[in-house]
Amino acid sequence: RLRATLPAALAAECRLANLREDELVFLARSAAWASRLRLSSRRLLAEAREALGRDSLRLTVKVARTDANSPFA
């Protein structure tokens, strides 16, 4: 549901990795995609707050490793 709020190209390059306490952790395929995801954070967090019923969420974006264990492999 959260990725659906993102532009299609961005959603294809990012994955929700974890939700721990009040932190959403997303993985991006590259630093460029991570930057684009951060630019969309306001909309993404608004949707997440509504979907999860939490007021105090924050977003962490990490660049995924590029080995065979990558979620993008």
Side-chain angles (χ1 to χ4, degrees):
R1 179 177 172 179
L2 297 179
R3 284 180 44 206
T5 67
L6 299 172
L10 181 57
E13 303 297 330
C14 301
R15 301 282 186 270
L16 177 62
N18 201 353
L19 170 62
R20 53 181 173 222
E21 296 182 21
D22 290 332
E23 179 183 26
L24 286 172
V25 180
F26 268 82
L27 293 178
R29 189 182 299 267
S30 69
W33 289 113
S35 292
R36 291 182 185 181
L37 183 59
R38 287 184 193 98
L39 289 173
S40 299
S41 65
R42 191 173 286 178
R43 178 177 40 187
L44 185 63
L45 284 172
E47 182 68 25
R49 286 178 182 127
E50 181 180 322
L52 300 171
R54 298 183 186 184
D55 292 330
S56 61
L57 285 176
R58 65 184 188 278
L59 178 67
T60 298
V61 180
K62 298 181 178 186
V63 177
R65 62 187 181 277
T66 57
D67 62 14
N69 293 325
S70 169
F72 299 101

